[in-house]
Amino acid sequence: MIDLASLDPINYTGSFPNVGTARVSGETYPRSLSQSRSGWSGSTDGSAEYNLGRNFTRLEATAGLSDDSKSAQSVFELEIIGDHRSLARVELRLGEPVNLDVDLTNVLRLQLRWTFLNPESTWDSATIVLGSPTLTAVPGFDPEEDE
């Protein structure tokens, strides 16, 4: 198993995803991916794309909004896309973590896409978190040898 946060995205919109410790609903997640978004700046949607090289079978993580988010009303959609196919789609709200277990069998490119769902709340801001995202490698693949 390897940490998705240890991979650099090959493409992203918005700013580069942050890597570090995050708290979602009182739980601490080390080595998390996070992205702060705000309606007032117009930077509400974004994505990050990773080259998995068809070397992984599963993504496990906890998704949610950071406990440090300024707005308790913000709602985001997180979509996980593999080779242009939607693999999972969840709504994220403060205090409501979502456990993810996504099949990545034979996926070359993994995209994480987030969308702000309440644009009428233009002053809302929140931090989207993918808590401790872990990839399970296909049998025989050693990520250390692939570097």
Side-chain angles (χ1 to χ4, degrees):
M1 300 209 345
I2 73 158
D3 178 0
L4 178 61
S6 69
L7 302 179
D8 286 333
I10 58 169
N11 192 15
Y12 59 92
T13 58
S15 58
F16 193 83
N18 298 313
V19 176
T21 300
R23 289 184 61 81
V24 175
S25 193
E27 293 291 323
T28 300
Y29 297 93
R31 300 284 303 155
S32 296
L33 295 171
S34 65
Q35 184 67 255
S36 293
R37 312 309 289 169
S38 62
W40 61 268
S41 68
S43 61
T44 57
D45 302 341
S47 65
E49 187 173 9
Y50 299 85
N51 177 15
L52 299 186
R54 304 189 199 287
N55 293 313
F56 301 95
T57 59
R58 186 148 241 86
L59 167 67
E60 295 176 79
T62 299
L65 298 184
S66 169
D67 291 354
D68 296 330
S69 294
K70 292 182 180 171
S71 172
Q73 281 70 43
S74 291
V75 181
F76 284 84
E77 177 182 83
L78 172 66
E79 185 174 17
I80 301 181
I81 301 163
D83 297 332
H84 306 288
R85 292 183 339 257
S86 181
L87 303 176
R89 186 182 304 217
V90 295
E91 286 190 5
L92 305 178
R93 292 178 171 79
L94 187 67
E96 298 179 19
V98 178
N99 292 321
L100 297 170
D101 186 354
V102 181
D103 183 359
L104 299 178
T105 302
N106 209 31
V107 169
L108 178 65
R109 293 281 176 93
L110 173 69
Q111 184 181 39
L112 309 174
R113 183 184 302 160
W114 49 88
T115 305
F116 189 48
L117 293 182
N118 46 344
E120 68 281 354
S121 303
T122 56
W123 294 102
D124 287 356
S125 64
T127 301
I128 301 154
V129 174
L130 195 59
S132 301
T134 305
L135 297 168
T136 302
V138 297
F141 176 70
D142 182 356
E144 299 295 321
E145 291 179 7
D146 196 50
E147 293 181 353

